[in-house]
Amino acid sequence: MSDSNVGVRDIVRGLREIGLTQDSRVIVHASLSSFGPVRGGAVAVLAGLLSTCDTVVMPAFTYQALVWPLTGPPDNGVSYGQADHVESNRNAIFFHLRLPIHRDVGVIPERLRQHPATLRSAHPALSFVAVGSQAQAALAGQTLDQPLAPIEWLQHHDGDVLLIGVGHTRNTSIHFAEKLANRKQFVRWAIIRDGDSVTVRAVRLPNFPGCSDGFDAIEPEIASKTTQVTIGNALVRRVPLRMLIPIVVGWISDEPEALLCTRPGCERCNAVRHAGRPG
C-alpha cells in the first residue's frame, strides 16, 4: 500500500491487513518520517493505532535523567570518569511523570505521552506509556529491578511487536529476551526527586539492557513469523511476542554472542562477550 499523502484511514487499513484487531495488544516502535507526508502527523498515526488496537504500549525512555558516577561496578559496559559524563551530569533532569520522552525515542511516543487517556510507569529512565483497556495491567509489574516487565506482560497476553518504519535495533522486546537468556545486564543511575522534596537524589537501576546495534541480525530467524505491509513509504512489521521471545532466547543459548554488534569500541557488547568466556 503506497500513498504520497497518508491519512488515518490508510493507517487503519494497513494495520488490519497485517491482522491487528480491536483485541490486539501491541508495543509500538515508530518513525513518523518513514511514512512520508502524513495528514495530521503523529496525531493521525496514534488515531489509527488506537482505533485499531485494544491496548497500545510505547517506550517513554528518559535518558536525560541518567547520571554517571566517578567509579562503579567493574565490567559494567562503561568507562567511568569521562569528560562527557561530567557534562551529562551537569545537564541531567530529574525524572517525573510529566518529563518529556527523550528525543531519540521519537515524536509518536511523545504525542502518546500527551494523550489525556495515557498512563505512564515510573521507572526513571525506562518508563513506558500505554492507552487502552489493559494499559494499567500492562504497566503494573514494572519495578527498578524489572524494567522490562511490560514486555513480559504483553508476551503472556498475546501481544505483538509493531515496527513502523524502523528496524529491530529499536525493538526493546529483544532486550527482554536477552535477560531471559541470562545475558549480562548492566547498572545505571538516574536522578529523581521524592514527592514535594527539593532534594534530588540518584537511584541505582539494575538489569539495564545493553547495546541493540546488532539486533537486525534477527530478521532472517523470524521472517516466517513476521507479517508486513507498506503504508505510505513506511514498512510496517508485526511480530507476535510469543514467537519472537523463544526464538531469541534459544539463539542466544546456542550462540552466546548472537545479536551483539561488531563495533570494536562497544563497551557493552564487549562486556557481554567477556562475561560469557571462562576465566
Side-chain angles (χ1 to χ4, degrees):
M1 179 191 305
S2 180
D3 195 321
S4 61
N5 195 353
V6 174
V8 175
R9 289 183 180 179
D10 303 305
I11 294 167
V12 171
R13 189 181 305 116
L15 297 178
R16 289 176 177 168
E17 187 174 329
I18 56 174
L20 295 176
T21 72
Q22 291 184 343
D23 295 323
S24 295
R25 298 148 183 179
V26 294
I27 178 166
V28 181
H29 305 275
S31 165
L32 179 60
S33 63
S34 69
F35 287 101
V38 178
R39 299 189 300 275
V43 172
V45 177
L46 289 178
L49 286 164
L50 297 176
S51 63
T52 305
C53 302
D54 173 73
T55 300
V56 174
V57 179
M58 294 187 187
F61 300 163
T62 47
Y63 304 127
Q64 64 269 40
L66 292 174
V67 290
W68 304 94
L70 292 176
T71 61
D75 301 317
N76 192 34
V78 61
S79 296
Y80 300 103
Q82 299 297 300
D84 58 342
H85 289 175
V86 175
E87 184 69 16
S88 295
N89 291 350
R90 184 180 298 119
N91 294 324
I93 303 171
F94 73 86
F95 175 80
H96 53 87
L97 290 176
R98 296 180 304 281
L99 183 65
I101 298 168
H102 193 275
R103 62 181 179 274
D104 289 351
V105 182
V107 175
I108 295 173
E110 173 60 15
R111 282 292 188 180
L112 186 64
R113 182 191 69 82
Q114 299 169 20
H115 191 284
T118 294
L119 302 179
R120 187 180 195 176
S121 61
H123 193 284
L126 301 177
S127 67
F128 290 82
V129 286
V131 173
S133 71
Q134 299 299 308
Q136 185 171 2
L139 302 182
Q142 189 187 51
T143 64
L144 293 183
D145 288 342
Q146 301 296 332
L148 302 182
I151 297 170
E152 181 176 23
W153 186 92
L154 286 164
Q155 179 196 8
H156 293 309
H157 291 81
D158 292 322
D160 298 295
V161 176
L162 192 62
L163 302 176
I164 301 178
V166 299
H168 287 284
T169 59
R170 298 278 294 275
N171 188 348
T172 307
S173 298
I174 296 177
H175 284 308
F176 174 64
E178 289 184 300
K179 175 69 167 55
L180 291 182
N182 296 316
R183 175 162 279 177
K184 179 179 177 61
Q185 305 290 281
F186 298 96
V187 177
R188 293 295 183 260
W189 298 263
I191 53 174
I192 64 170
R193 193 171 74 181
D194 293 322
D196 295 328
S197 170
V198 297
T199 303
V200 173
R201 64 182 178 90
V203 292
R204 185 176 184 272
L205 308 177
N207 291 321
F208 208 90
C211 171
S212 62
D213 287 354
F215 284 2
D216 278 335
I218 195 64
E219 182 60 37
E221 305 294 323
I222 61 170
S224 64
K225 315 299 182 185
T226 302
T227 53
Q228 63 184 50
V229 66
T230 300
I231 305 176
N233 297 323
L235 177 63
V236 179
R237 291 178 284 178
R238 172 196 174 201
V239 188
L241 280 164
R242 60 184 173 82
M243 297 179 179
L244 172 67
I245 299 299
I247 289 172
V248 175
V249 172
W251 193 15
I252 293 174
S253 298
D254 292 340
E255 300 181 33
E257 297 191 6
L259 299 174
L260 299 180
C261 83
T262 57
R263 290 184 291 112
C266 181
E267 292 180 293
R268 290 172 294 173
C269 288
N270 287 339
V272 171
R273 291 187 180 97
H274 182 263
R277 292 170 182 159

